[in-house]
Amino acid sequence: MVSVVAIGRAWAACDVGGGGNGITLLLLTPVIWVAAAVPWLVLHGTLGRRHRGAAPAVGLVFTVWFTWFLVTWLGIPDSYPAPLCPGNVPPWWPSFLPT
């Protein structure tokens, strides 16, 4: 999943935590996957029956928003002192996207 990879890269770039980051992400991956898959199932069951073109469009918008939310919420912790990343924002994060 893109969000898990982006969170891992943000943690690595800002030196968040230690060696346990891989285990944390490994344990979070199924939870994130289920949280991303359930809205698709709901959309397919409700909106997909009436408007076949709208369900994938709404699902794509939700997926992009959910990925941004997870990366900014989990990947960029405000309370962690990150000397490598000013403002706890990784250097590769696009400046036009808010954190």
Side-chain angles (χ1 to χ4, degrees):
M1 291 185 55
V2 174
S3 55
V4 173
V5 172
I7 291 168
R9 286 190 166 191
W11 286 355
C14 294
D15 197 27
V16 174
N21 286 342
I23 295 171
T24 303
L25 282 176
L26 185 66
L27 294 174
L28 281 176
T29 299
V31 175
I32 292 172
W33 188 86
V34 168
V38 168
W40 277 94
L41 292 173
V42 170
L43 279 171
H44 177 70
T46 58
L47 191 60
R49 292 182 184 169
R50 291 182 216 111
H51 307 287
R52 292 184 186 250
V58 172
L60 182 64
V61 168
F62 172 78
T63 301
V64 168
W65 173 83
F66 190 63
T67 301
W68 169 83
F69 173 74
L70 284 176
V71 172
T72 57
W73 182 52
L74 292 174
I76 304 173
D78 291 335
S79 61
Y80 190 80
L84 300 176
C85 297
N88 288 343
V89 178
W92 53 265
W93 185 260
S95 61
F96 62 88
L97 290 176
T99 56

